[in-house]
Amino acid sequence: MKRLAEILTFFELPNSPSIKGIEKDIVALTIDSRQITEGAAFIALSGVQSHGILYAEQAIKNGARCILTDTAGLAEFNKQNDDHKMTTCPVIEVPLLDKRLADFAKWFYDAPSERVKVIGVTGTNGKTSSSHYMAQMLNALNYKVALMGTLGNGWFGALKTSQNTTVDVVTLNHLLNDFAAQQADYVVMEVSSHAIELGRIAGIGFEVLAMTQVTRDHLDFHHTEAAYQAVKKKLFLNYPSQYQVLNVDDLVGQALLRELPTIDRVISYSQKDAQADIVCLDSILNLTGMQGTLIVQGVSLAFELPLMGQFNLENVLCAVSVLSACGLEASKIQKSLASVKAVSGRMELLIQPNHPTVLVDYAHTPDALEAVLKATTHHASAKETKLWVVFGCGGDRDTGKRPLMGKVAETYADEVVLTDDNPRGELPEAIIADIKKGMHRPAKVIHDRPEAIAYAVKQASSCDMVVIAGKGHEDYQEIKGKRWPMSDQKMVKELFSTSGAGSV
């Protein structure tokens, strides 16, 4: 909380008595007029489609105490309000406001990342699972943990949905301040490449930074894989952190290990390199999960986990490495491993007698889909087991990955069902056509996703495995700018409940 007079001083602006409410408290900051509460400041900046100042009236009605905007915003406000109907709420021009926003949010909320230990997790695949495993393990050891990422933001076990994996820098500082005020021990947050590139985490200090692995993704935004990799590296090279956790089975992780100025604060993990700090060189996959032995701080730790997929072991290694970086002893880490379970929409297992085994996963890149399908085959023991996959690709996103995913699907699955993911503004037929460019054998095409899932589950035998990929935790389908209720898990459970006794 700061007084408006203090905000003017921060920006080195004239502190004029003529400004209404100059000695009143500003209780919060927001860049979204819909989230304004009584006494907050509305920060109006240029967006992708319009300038935030166009929502000034809504912000004022919601209780904004002041509006901070840039030169263009003030000019637009004056143009729209030449009769000064809304001057009861001061509209203040701050030159280069967008460039100063991170420092301002950090100052306003009293540097919250210095008052709570923040763990940042990045990578192409595995961010969500790794983050949730960390939270599960820390929570099992009675630490108070908050989570921020793809599945939402909030206290562990009570997340609230978020539009982006990593929120804007104002919201981020606001949330961190709330967590710190409520005495959180740790905040585990996923850090997307967009967040790094767009400055959403500017000014944040980290206790630990961790990387899962880096493969192809978001080329619609970064354009090249080299640029995408460079952004991921930037998190470790340009942001302050006490420790860095790297996957040295990954090429980008290996490169970072060579590029970091000091390695005495780096903890490496591997399933291949016995010289890494945290190692798992032996593991067994079965129908109920996995088991094996970890080497942590020179101590052998036996584990048995209800997780599917060898790559999930990599995510566990990441989580274990982060807890080790936080100073937890091997014995406590082993104790906390007993709490680890699958994350919603991440190799989520749905089973019922006399029905195929179903796995729901968020895999939406070629590498992720390949990892899921390969992992599933490794868990299957019966020779007569067929592997089915139901998937599509999102519209208005990286089109280059579509044929690659088609190729992966027909390489590893016995039966392929192509369906709609989130077509957004694109024609579903065009998306499917792109996928089929990478395929050499016919695939069943059912655009209606519920029908596609029903077809696969009903046609597969009880000893088969059906992977439903692409949407994972999402409970909607986005078509032509509108979101419709749609949950892969709910669909499967309804199919199970209407076609026989038993429970999922």
Side-chain angles (χ1 to χ4, degrees), residues 21 31 55 69 95 101 103 117 140 150 163 251 295 343 375 452 465-466:
I31 64 172
Y55 304 95
T69 190
L101 196 56
D103 287 340
K117 293 180 179 178
T150 306
Q163 187 173 357
L251 292 176
I295 307 298
V343 180
M465 302 186 79
V466 178

Side-chain angles (χ1 to χ4, degrees), residues 5-21:
E6 293 178 281
I7 291 174
L8 295 176
T9 300
F10 175 86
F11 285 119
E12 299 176 339
L13 296 174
N15 196 328
S16 172
S18 63
I19 298 178
K20 290 181 172 61

Side-chain angles (χ1 to χ4, degrees), residues 130-142:
S130 297
S131 297
H132 280 252
Y133 297 160
M134 293 170 201
Q136 290 171 8
M137 295 168 73
L138 288 167
N139 182 71
L141 296 173
N142 297 317

Side-chain angles (χ1 to χ4, degrees), residues 196-360:
I196 302 167
E197 187 71 3
L198 297 174
R200 293 177 190 164
I201 57 167
I204 302 300
F206 296 90
E207 178 73 11
V208 184
L209 285 172
M211 179 180 286
T212 56
Q213 35 79 346
V214 179
T215 57
R216 177 194 175 106
D217 201 12
H218 298 306
L219 298 197
D220 54 307
F221 181 79
H222 298 287
H223 305 300
T224 67
E225 287 192 60
Y228 175 60
Q229 292 174 6
V231 169
K232 292 292 191 182
K233 289 182 180 179
K234 189 186 298 184
L235 177 62
F236 293 81
L237 297 171
N238 294 3
Y239 286 83
S241 60
Q242 293 299 312
Y243 293 94
Q244 300 87 37
V245 168
L246 297 178
N247 176 8
V248 292
D249 293 339
D250 177 70
L251 292 176
V252 176
Q254 294 171 13
L256 261 176
L257 192 62
R258 295 190 295 267
E259 293 175 35
L260 287 169
T262 59
I263 61 171
D264 58 331
R265 293 183 176 271
V266 175
I267 294 179
S268 60
Y269 65 93
S270 174
Q271 295 185 68
K272 302 174 183 178
D273 185 357
Q275 302 304 310
D277 299 302
I278 311 290
V279 183
C280 179
L281 298 180
D282 68 278
S283 60
I284 298 173
L285 305 181
N286 52 46
L287 291 176
T288 59
M290 61 180 66
Q291 60 189 56
T293 305
L294 303 179
I295 307 298
V296 180
Q297 300 168 5
V299 179
S300 296
L301 305 181
F303 68 88
E304 187 169 351
L305 302 170
L307 302 177
M308 303 292 282
Q310 192 74 32
F311 60 85
N312 249 324
L313 179 54
E314 185 174 277
N315 297 331
V316 170
L317 282 168
C318 182
V320 167
S321 300
V322 166
L323 264 66
S324 183
C326 290
L328 299 180
E329 299 174 354
S331 58
K332 289 187 176 181
I333 292 174
Q334 184 171 35
K335 177 183 176 182
S336 69
L337 276 171
S339 66
V340 172
K341 61 182 180 180
V343 180
S344 174
R346 267 64 178 177
M347 290 297 276
E348 187 175 353
L349 190 63
L350 303 176
I351 56 175
Q352 180 168 287
N354 303 317
H355 288 80
T357 297
V358 178
L359 283 165
V360 176

Side-chain angles (χ1 to χ4, degrees), residues 135-202:
Q136 290 171 8
M137 295 168 73
L138 288 167
N139 182 71
L141 296 173
N142 297 317
Y143 289 103
K144 193 173 184 180
V145 186
L147 270 166
M148 301 178 69
T150 306
L151 300 187
N153 305 319
W155 298 107
F156 174 68
L159 301 182
K160 296 180 180 179
T161 303
S162 175
Q163 187 173 357
N164 296 315
T165 296
T166 312
V167 296
D168 65 87
V169 71
V170 173
T171 305
L172 176 56
N173 277 276
H174 190 166
L175 288 171
L176 289 177
N177 179 64
D178 287 348
F179 295 142
Q182 297 178 65
Q183 298 183 318
D185 295 302
Y186 291 96
V187 176
V188 184
M189 64 177 289
E190 298 177 49
V191 182
S192 68
S193 59
H194 290 72
I196 302 167
E197 187 71 3
L198 297 174
R200 293 177 190 164
I201 57 167

Side-chain angles (χ1 to χ4, degrees), residues 49-72:
Q49 297 179 335
S50 61
H51 199 289
I53 200 66
L54 298 178
Y55 304 95
E57 184 174 0
Q58 180 185 26
I60 293 170
K61 286 181 179 178
N62 289 344
R65 187 151 287 161
C66 72
I67 296 175
L68 304 176
T69 190
D70 52 19
T71 303

Side-chain angles (χ1 to χ4, degrees), residues 356-383:
T357 297
V358 178
L359 283 165
V360 176
D361 194 84
Y362 189 55
H364 60 282
T365 67
D367 294 277
L369 185 61
E370 180 177 4
V372 167
L373 296 179
K374 287 174 70 175
T376 304
T377 59
H378 291 158
H379 282 273
S381 56
K383 291 183 179 179

